[in-house]
Amino acid sequence: MNKYLITYDLKNKGIENYENLFNAIKSVGPWWHYLDSTWIVKTNYSSQQIWNILAPHLYKNDHILVVKIDNFDKWGWLPQDAWNWLNL
């Protein structure tokens, strides 16, 4: 499986309910979500396929980025279980 970074800027938070978007992200495959606007998912889908799954749950003024990450160099300050998941 590949890993994809999904990050977004949701412009209607507090006005609209994004629960359907979050459920759509979770449906893509095993997921990591330790940062507010960032998810990493493991899946066999392409970035375009992920976008197609998520797009119906976004509003026109929202922004989203889906990027494939391969054996990425990473560093930061996270709980140990976050690092454990990232290193799988």
Side-chain angles (χ1 to χ4, degrees):
M1 277 199 244
N2 296 311
K3 290 180 186 170
Y4 287 86
L5 173 80
I6 301 170
T7 188
Y8 47 73
D9 188 4
L10 304 177
K11 303 294 186 173
N12 296 310
K13 247 181 165 177
I15 301 169
E16 300 292 344
N17 182 349
Y18 283 96
E19 198 62 35
N20 289 336
L21 172 64
F22 304 144
N23 288 334
I25 293 171
K26 293 174 185 178
S27 77
V28 170
W31 52 272
W32 178 100
H33 180 60
Y34 282 86
L35 303 172
D36 286 342
S37 298
T38 304
W39 298 69
I40 297 175
V41 295
K42 295 178 187 175
T43 186
N44 289 319
Y45 292 128
S46 68
S47 59
Q48 177 68 54
Q49 290 170 316
I50 295 169
W51 161 252
N52 291 339
I53 292 168
L54 304 183
H57 309 290
L58 294 165
Y59 296 90
K60 294 292 182 198
N61 60 339
D62 291 333
H63 299 129
I64 191 166
L65 176 65
V66 180
V67 179
K68 182 178 178 183
I69 48 180
D70 292 316
N71 299 319
F72 59 103
D73 186 16
K74 56 197 173 296
W75 195 256
W77 192 291
L78 297 169
Q80 186 59 50
D81 56 332
W83 291 111
N84 294 343
W85 195 94
L86 288 170
N87 290 324
L88 291 177

